[in-house]
Amino acid sequence: MDHGHRAELTSEADLSLLLALQHRIDQRLMIGQLNHDAGQTASDPYFFPDLILAAHLIRLSWPDGVRYAFSTSIADLIDRHVCSTVAQHRTPEPNGHRPIAWDAPEDPAECAAVLIAADSLLGYEEHDVAGMTDRVRPLAVSAFSRHPANIGASLRRLDVSSAMGRALLGRAQGFYRAGGHRHARQSLPSRASRFLIEHVPALLPQEWLSAHFGDLLSLWVHLTNWKMRHLRRVSALKLAEMSGGGTWPDCAKALGIPWNTAQQSLKVMRQELNSRDLWPSFEHSVESVASQLDRSTDRIHYGRRRHFLSSWQVPADDWAELTCGIEHFRQEASSPSRDTATVLIWAHVTQSDYLHSPVLGTLRESGCSTQRLIASINQLRTPANRKGAKRELLHRLKTYADLLSTACDRSAAALQTGSLDIQ
């Protein structure tokens, strides 16, 4: 209007929306100025960054966001702006993409229309910030798929709210990833969670599967123990992504899962779940676990357990007591040893794959063979061998592991007092 443009938001409803938005913008500007004068931080530093990014998404994904234009006249103004922008930049670049104008519309009415739609997308008027991801993500996917990769990367690098940042996360076969190589927002959790990545074990506990994966398991035919282990591992990776953020390799590293092992589990699960159209059921099941962890007041700190036991070994006196009164095993290469007990107890306490235990890792790093120790562990783990002395030893190891779990959860000092009472 100051530049000679005529006002085109003439309907009373449109003007009411515009004035309401202008009032909220003025309030934010005044609050920001008052806080600036007082040397304080504004109460909502992401109001304007989120609004600007939402406006870009409306433009770049148009007409996908037409439902956020409250009237035909607002939609027509946005359409006119988008069409004129495309017309001004028809000359393609060498890669075939058309350049995008980042400037706001020069026409006040068009600019107002884009901002009204952006505000509706954010849900500020309806106070529906919680549903931002469901509204923003489809437009982000549409906008980023139509334009060069640097467009999405540029928008993801903006310093926006966590809710907006989660909505912008790219997704690939069930897992989210942040834009920009090694960008800081890669660590942004994919959901607002009350639990931390330290509360996630490397393998989903069996009781969690029983409680939350019933529907999925009932639909999954030919489910073997081998596939179940991959399911437990990928579920843990997904929970880690929800609470800690980052790409799946980041999550695997945080949980102490080797990269190649995580990759293999993801490959197996994607083949299995996608071929049977069970991926939505998987995500629903993991979300159920996450919701339970959110509500829980006594979460297990698996990160602490992993840290405490990173160099731990069953004390010699405890091993002697664990085997006291049990008939001697044959002196074979696969007979249970102190290292065997250490690995099995570590796996139970941390809910991790025994193959990734510190003891086996140390052997591999030193170039020593792990064959004898793994054979000894499998002798005890094989169901057919769980009888007699081996069954009794397994029972004692579990009892010891439960005591050690309690010690880990209480404090590090409990692990420094010497042997545990395993009677």
Side-chain angles (χ1 to χ4, degrees), residues 214-422:
D215 292 341
L216 171 62
L217 298 179
S218 66
L219 297 172
W220 194 347
V221 295
H222 308 303
L223 178 60
T224 64
N225 289 334
W226 178 76
K227 293 177 182 178
M228 181 73 80
R229 202 162 189 79
H230 288 300
L231 172 63
R232 293 173 63 193
R233 184 175 292 121
V234 173
S235 299
L237 288 173
K238 188 65 179 176
L239 287 171
E241 177 205 72
M242 290 174 167
S243 56
T247 60
W248 68 258
D250 297 329
C251 296
K253 183 177 180 180
L255 298 181
I257 302 173
W259 184 91
N260 58 336
T261 301
Q263 184 185 49
Q264 177 63 17
S265 290
L266 284 168
K267 179 180 179 181
V268 171
M269 284 299 96
R270 284 165 177 165
Q271 290 175 343
E272 291 289 325
L273 298 180
N274 289 334
S275 64
R276 294 173 170 80
D277 195 26
L278 293 177
W279 197 266
S281 181
F282 166 81
E283 292 189 321
H284 175 76
S285 298
V286 178
E287 176 59 35
S288 178
V289 177
S291 297
Q292 180 62 43
L293 286 172
D294 282 340
R295 296 189 297 269
S296 178
T297 57
D298 57 347
R299 308 180 191 99
I300 295 175
H301 199 298
Y302 287 102
R304 182 184 297 121
R305 291 185 178 187
R306 290 190 289 264
H307 173 70
F308 284 169
L309 302 186
S310 60
S311 58
W312 175 85
Q313 186 179 29
V314 175
D317 290 345
D318 285 0
W319 174 239
E321 192 170 351
L322 283 166
T323 55
C324 180
I326 297 180
E327 61 182 76
H328 291 293
F329 297 104
R330 297 176 183 175
Q331 297 302 312
E332 299 175 349
S334 60
S335 295
S337 65
R338 185 178 164 197
D339 281 344
T340 306
T342 298
V343 171
L344 289 175
I345 291 170
W346 175 88
H348 180 88
V349 174
T350 64
Q351 287 294 300
S352 303
D353 193 324
Y354 77 92
L355 292 173
H356 306 149
S357 65
V359 172
L360 286 169
T362 299
L363 287 175
R364 295 187 188 99
E365 291 174 3
S366 64
C368 297
S369 173
T370 61
Q371 183 176 357
R372 177 177 295 185
L373 180 54
I374 290 177
S376 173
I377 294 168
N378 287 333
Q379 277 289 316
L380 289 179
R381 294 180 69 251
T382 302
N385 294 333
R386 295 175 185 172
K387 52 189 177 183
K390 292 179 179 177
R391 180 179 179 180
E392 176 61 24
L393 179 58
L394 279 174
H395 173 72
R396 295 186 183 186
L397 292 179
K398 182 182 183 304
T399 301
Y400 187 98
D402 289 339
L403 289 170
L404 185 59
S405 297
T406 301
C408 287
D409 296 339
R410 285 178 178 171
S411 68
L415 294 178
Q416 299 172 357
T417 59
S419 300
L420 296 172
D421 182 6
I422 60 177

Side-chain angles (χ1 to χ4, degrees), residues 20-66:
L21 175 58
Q22 184 65 61
H23 177 66
R24 290 200 302 280
I25 290 175
D26 289 343
Q27 282 186 316
R28 299 288 178 177
L29 290 173
M30 287 188 293
I31 292 174
Q33 184 59 44
L34 289 174
N35 287 336
H36 177 73
D37 292 342
Q40 300 175 352
T41 303
S43 58
D44 184 5
Y46 298 114
F47 176 82
F48 289 110
D50 282 5
L51 186 63
I52 292 170
L53 196 149
H56 281 308
L57 289 179
I58 289 291
R59 298 167 61 246
L60 297 175
S61 65
W62 190 260
D64 290 16
V66 67

Side-chain angles (χ1 to χ4, degrees), residues 156 199 380 388:
R156 290 189 178 109
H199 297 125
L380 289 179

